[in-house]
Amino acid sequence: MTTLPTALITGASSGIGATYAERFARRGHDLVLVARDEARLNTLAARLREDFGVAVDVLPADLTQLSDLATLETRLGYDEKIGILINNAGMAQSGGFLQQTAEGIDALIALNTTALTRLAAAVAPRFVRSGSGAIVNIGSVVGFAPEFGMSIYGATKAFVLFLSQGLHLELSSKGVYVQAVLPAATRTEIWERAGIDVNTLPEVMEVGELVDAALAGFDRRELVTIPPLHVAERWDALEGARHGLLADIRQAHAAERYRPS
């Protein structure tokens, strides 16, 4: 009988992370749940153990704190049972660029990009050695939509997409699967924490539908899964245009339009 890999999920106390935990537990995976709220993690863990008979470890951590991040990196580096990393922890941006504080900018970047990258970097060498493993990075459609006005948040999510694509190129031939999941507005607590009333948004996806769609992409081994995108060819066209742009970059000389007349 094949033992299923343990899934480590960050931001697991609510929303997308908690739903991933429930779905993986339903599939029979043991879990390591990471978030700041230990009480909520323990409540979720007890329910999942009772409902699905899986082993669930709770690891309280604030991933904007270097000591907590280092503890989690150590666990990912040595625990060979962990075969799936769900990099879900993140925060939204409240207000425009001019309303941001230095502390707020640091926290947003620390959680959305630095922690996500370091956790992937902590687990990737072990995955490569075993020739297996999956890294799922939760991004956002805001990462390619500056028109939405969340400049710092969107920049962090653009980073997540780029990183995932780069890791795919580096790691897929070594047996490691990397998936970027790009939700749009999803009904989670992230809005309330950012001071935004989710009920004022015109369209919001329920979190269960989002995670189920993301897992459909996971099972298909998609590189980029965009649950709210209803015309898949749009993404294919965007990628095709990007590759065409790269083909037209010739770095030995500036383009004719920039040369002195």
Side-chain angles (χ1 to χ4, degrees), residues 158-197:
F159 176 94
V160 171
L161 174 60
F162 187 106
L163 179 72
S164 300
Q165 292 171 309
L167 293 182
H168 167 74
L169 291 173
E170 290 194 44
L171 303 179
S172 61
S173 64
K174 299 173 174 62
V176 182
Y177 168 55
V178 181
Q179 180 193 28
V181 177
L182 311 183
T186 307
R187 194 176 300 280
T188 71
E189 294 178 7
I190 195 170
W191 301 101
E192 181 182 352
R193 292 173 189 151
I196 299 170
D197 182 357

Side-chain angles (χ1 to χ4, degrees), residues 170-246:
E170 290 194 44
L171 303 179
S172 61
S173 64
K174 299 173 174 62
V176 182
Y177 168 55
V178 181
Q179 180 193 28
V181 177
L182 311 183
T186 307
R187 194 176 300 280
T188 71
E189 294 178 7
I190 195 170
W191 301 101
E192 181 182 352
R193 292 173 189 151
I196 299 170
D197 182 357
V198 69
N199 296 311
T200 64
L201 302 177
E203 292 185 328
V204 181
M205 188 177 294
E206 297 300 325
V207 67
E209 184 172 355
L210 181 281
V211 173
D212 287 339
L215 286 172
F218 179 90
D219 293 338
R220 296 170 189 164
R221 289 308 192 246
E222 290 181 350
L223 167 56
V224 179
T225 298
I226 312 176
L229 179 63
H230 288 254
V231 182
E233 291 77 13
R234 297 287 191 190
W235 175 255
D236 298 335
L238 182 62
E239 280 293 275
R242 185 177 66 81
H243 285 288
L245 181 149
L246 290 174

Side-chain angles (χ1 to χ4, degrees), residues 32 43 52 57 62 75 77-79 83 102 109 124 151 167 200 206 208 255:
V32 179
T43 298
F52 303 109
D57 286 352
D62 179 348
R75 177 71 179 267
Y78 78 76
D79 190 343
I109 293 172
S151 299
L167 293 182
T200 64
E206 297 300 325

Side-chain angles (χ1 to χ4, degrees), residues 114-138:
T114 302
L116 177 143
T117 305
R118 284 183 51 170
L119 296 182
V123 80
R126 183 171 58 76
F127 283 177
V128 167
R129 287 194 299 271
S130 68
S132 64
I135 299 171
V136 177
N137 296 322
I138 307 299

